[in-house]
């Protein structure tokens, strides 16, 4: 059975409850009630991979606290493998808060500088963890993953990925870019270039790349990425594909339900794309599967939709595409 190693960080999430105010506070005081959950881009992808019946292990570091215990139990309940989760005594997971303004726009606040996940590349268990990557069919991580490690940690990780690729493991890089995670854009560009040069498959978007390379055209942005397989998501629900022997434009099917929450649209797209490629689908079919799942996920609140809302396994429906072979 094909297997995927997802590397990253899951944090404690505090989300402002709609219309909720704590005792003694008015709307003008900026206070309110918050619900607690867990969130992380690569973790979201791992959960959707497990739901799509792909064997997946999550690679991260957590503490020995009750919140970390809850996370591991929740992942296991979803079918995500936790054997690669390192527990660090005395450490805690990171935390972020989502605050909504009067128009419903989200603002994020993070507390993660001393989070356990940031230590994964510089602990006694690191060598064993990195050597285990060679046993997986695919290694998946995002730019957010890379942003939490220091330069030496990133170097160790890239070296391990290169070793794994020599044995046939494929590296999938998702450009999920968040400026707040990087000291400056020059550092981010340097790390992106290293990931692009190593990756077998790159999943990216105009939102991510234009933040790093403002003013460039679609062709210019795609030319920056030497990976043999590229999925470039546009602002509209369209993906441009480049793969050995061809290119293609894939349009998502028209929405039939209202969009509720776009959280994890890209994460779920990645899961469906990877699952389809592992199942033998070509890049066009995989992108169609990605758009189908993402279009479903955005119709529900939160990153992880109810299990009953998942599409039937191996659901295939034609999507509009325009293909041109080289």
């Amino acid at each position: 059975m094909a297997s995927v190693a997802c590397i990253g960080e899951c944090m404690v999430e505090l989300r402002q409850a709609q219309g909720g105010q704590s005792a003694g506070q008015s709307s003008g005081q900026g206070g309110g009630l918050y619900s607690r959950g867990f969130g992380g881009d690569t973790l979201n992808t791992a959960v959707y991979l497990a739901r799509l019946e792909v064997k997946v292990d999550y690679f991260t570091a957590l503490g020995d606290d009750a919140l970390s215990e809850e996370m591991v139990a929740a992942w296991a309940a979803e079918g995500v493998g936790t054997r690669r989760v390192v527990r660090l005594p005395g450490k805690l997971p990171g935390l972020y808060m989502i605050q909504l303004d009067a128009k419903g726009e989200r603002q994020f606040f993070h507390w993660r500088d001393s989070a356990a996940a940031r230590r994964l590349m510089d602990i006694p268990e690191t060598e064993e963890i990195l050597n285990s990557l060679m046993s997986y069919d695919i290694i998946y991580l995002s730019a957010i993953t890379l942003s939490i490690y220091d330069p030496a940690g990133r170097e160790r990780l890239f070296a391990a990925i290169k070793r794994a690729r020599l044995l046939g493991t494929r590296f999938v890089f998702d450009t999920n870019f968040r400026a707040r995670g990087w000291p400056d854009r020059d550092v981010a560009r340097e790390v992106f270039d290293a990931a692009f040069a190593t990756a077998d498959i790159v999943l990216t978007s105009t939102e991510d790349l234009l933040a790093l390379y403002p003013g460039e055209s679609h062709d210019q942005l795609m030319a920056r990425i030497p990976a043999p397989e590229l999925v470039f998501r546009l602002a509209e629900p369209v993906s441009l594909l480049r793969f050995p022997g061809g290119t293609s434009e894939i349009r998502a099917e028209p929405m039939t339900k209202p969009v509720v929450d776009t959280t994890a649209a890209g994460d779920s797209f990645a899961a469906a794309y990877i699952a389809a490629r592992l199942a033998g689908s070509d890049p066009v079919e995989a992108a169609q599967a990605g758009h189908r799942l993402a279009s479903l996920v955005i119709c529900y609140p939160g990153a992880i939709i109810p299990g009953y809302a998942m599409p039937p396994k191996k659901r295939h429906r034609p999507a509009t595409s325009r293909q041109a072979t080289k």
Side-chain angles (χ1 to χ4, degrees):
M1 183 178 182
S3 58
V4 177
C6 284
I7 310 173
E9 178 183 23
C10 183
M11 293 185 286
V12 179
E13 176 189 275
L14 298 180
R15 178 183 293 268
Q16 191 173 31
Q18 294 183 348
Q21 295 292 328
S22 58
Q25 293 177 319
S26 66
S27 58
Q29 291 177 298
L33 299 177
Y34 288 81
S35 61
R36 177 174 63 78
F38 304 118
D41 62 337
T42 54
L43 187 278
N44 297 336
T45 299
V47 169
Y48 284 115
L49 280 169
R51 289 185 175 187
L52 294 169
E53 301 187 9
V54 174
K55 184 180 179 182
V56 56
D57 286 334
Y58 197 59
F59 285 57
T60 195
L62 290 174
D64 55 356
D65 58 291
L67 291 174
S68 296
E69 202 65 44
E70 282 186 37
M71 285 186 185
V72 171
W75 305 345
E78 283 283 1
V80 175
T82 60
R83 59 181 175 150
R84 307 300 186 190
V85 178
V86 180
R87 307 298 290 273
L88 303 180
K91 300 294 289 185
L92 293 168
L95 179 147
Y96 70 98
M97 181 174 68
I98 303 174
Q99 192 170 49
L100 302 177
D101 64 18
K103 297 180 180 179
E105 295 295 328
R106 296 182 297 173
Q107 186 175 9
F108 294 84
F109 303 88
H110 289 78
W111 294 265
R112 68 194 303 197
D113 289 347
S114 61
R118 301 178 76 92
R119 296 283 314 281
L120 187 63
M121 293 298 128
D122 63 354
I123 54 178
E125 297 89 346
T126 299
E127 184 175 359
E128 179 183 355
I129 286 289
L130 292 179
N131 286 338
S132 73
L133 292 174
M134 292 184 285
S135 65
Y136 293 85
D137 296 279
I138 282 180
I139 299 167
Y140 171 80
L141 57 83
S142 73
I144 293 178
T145 303
L146 296 175
S147 73
I148 69 174
Y149 306 134
D150 63 19
R154 287 192 289 263
E155 186 175 342
R156 293 183 74 180
L157 177 56
F158 278 134
I161 291 172
K162 290 174 183 177
R163 292 195 298 270
R165 291 181 70 243
L166 292 175
L167 297 178
T169 299
R170 287 180 289 173
F171 171 36
V172 181
F173 175 55
D174 193 324
T175 62
N176 204 1
F177 175 68
R178 298 293 182 269
R180 63 180 174 268
W182 298 93
D184 59 59
R185 280 174 167 75
D186 287 338
V187 172
R189 293 185 190 103
E190 182 180 350
V191 175
F192 270 55
D193 287 345
F196 290 156
T198 307
D200 298 282
I201 301 173
V202 171
L203 307 177
T204 190
S205 68
T206 52
E207 179 182 6
D208 291 338
L209 293 189
L210 285 176
L212 284 174
Y213 313 103
E216 294 196 2
S217 67
H218 293 164
D219 288 342
Q220 288 173 316
L221 294 172
M222 294 177 71
R224 288 183 172 276
I225 303 173
E229 188 168 325
L230 171 63
V231 182
F232 185 51
R233 299 188 303 276
L234 307 185
E236 61 268 29
V238 176
S239 292
L240 304 180
L241 308 185
R242 187 188 70 213
F243 48 89
T247 61
S248 187
E249 178 183 292
I250 306 298
R251 292 185 175 273
E253 298 173 4
M255 296 289 297
T256 58
K257 296 180 180 180
V259 175
V260 174
D261 186 349
T262 59
T263 302
D267 306 335
S268 57
F269 181 102
Y273 188 91
I274 292 170
R277 293 293 280 129
L278 285 172
S281 296
D282 62 32
V284 171
E285 295 169 328
Q288 291 169 350
H291 278 299
R292 281 198 298 269
L293 183 55
S295 295
L296 179 63
V297 167
I298 62 177
C299 296
Y300 292 83
I304 306 298
I305 65 176
Y308 63 77
M310 290 291 294
K313 185 184 177 185
K314 295 183 180 180
R315 175 173 170 243
H316 295 289
R317 285 165 48 186
T320 303
S321 66
R322 185 175 67 238
Q323 183 170 353
T325 56
K326 293 183 179 178

